[in-house]
Amino acid sequence: MADHLANTLAAVSVLGGTVGYVKSKSLPSLVAGVSFGALYAVTGHLIRTNADYGVELGVGTSVLLMGATGPRAFRTMKRVPLGMFTMGALGAGYFGKKLYQQQYGV
């Protein structure tokens, strides 16, 4: 399940960056969307292959996404930045829970 979520977040990140580029010709939005998409895709691959640090990368990527999109999301209150921030928050919560379960065997 966790790898499915990571791959979904990867696709949505790329889509969000692409929408940002198409709507406002923002190259940084495209680069960020593709970068976060790649990080989430690597997260999904690591989790699927049961490799080390997959969940940790998911938490880090989600927190980084929240930090990158949060200021703009709350300043402009536009749908795409708010959606990306929310996606990062949900990812951080989910992967954080998985990390907790992994660490403490819950």
Side-chain angles (χ1 to χ4, degrees):
M1 171 67 182
D3 65 319
H4 177 70
L5 177 65
N7 291 327
T8 301
L9 291 175
V12 173
S13 294
V14 172
L15 182 66
T18 304
V19 168
Y21 178 74
V22 168
K23 285 183 124 181
S24 62
K25 301 293 184 226
S26 172
L27 188 59
S29 292
L30 182 63
V31 170
V34 170
S35 299
F36 281 109
L39 287 171
Y40 277 125
V42 170
T43 296
H45 175 71
L46 290 175
I47 292 171
R48 185 178 328 102
T49 59
N50 219 10
D52 292 336
Y53 304 114
V55 176
E56 291 88 341
L57 180 61
V59 171
T61 302
S62 297
V63 170
L64 186 62
L65 180 61
M66 286 173 53
T69 60
R72 184 172 183 179
F74 294 113
R75 185 178 66 244
T76 64
M77 297 304 258
K78 290 187 177 179
R79 280 186 294 174
V80 173
L82 282 171
M84 297 302 284
F85 177 81
T86 302
M87 185 178 75
L90 292 173
Y94 181 79
F95 290 121
K97 179 183 173 203
K98 286 293 181 188
L99 182 60
Y100 180 82
Q101 290 172 342
Q102 202 176 52
Q103 294 292 322
Y104 297 105
V106 176

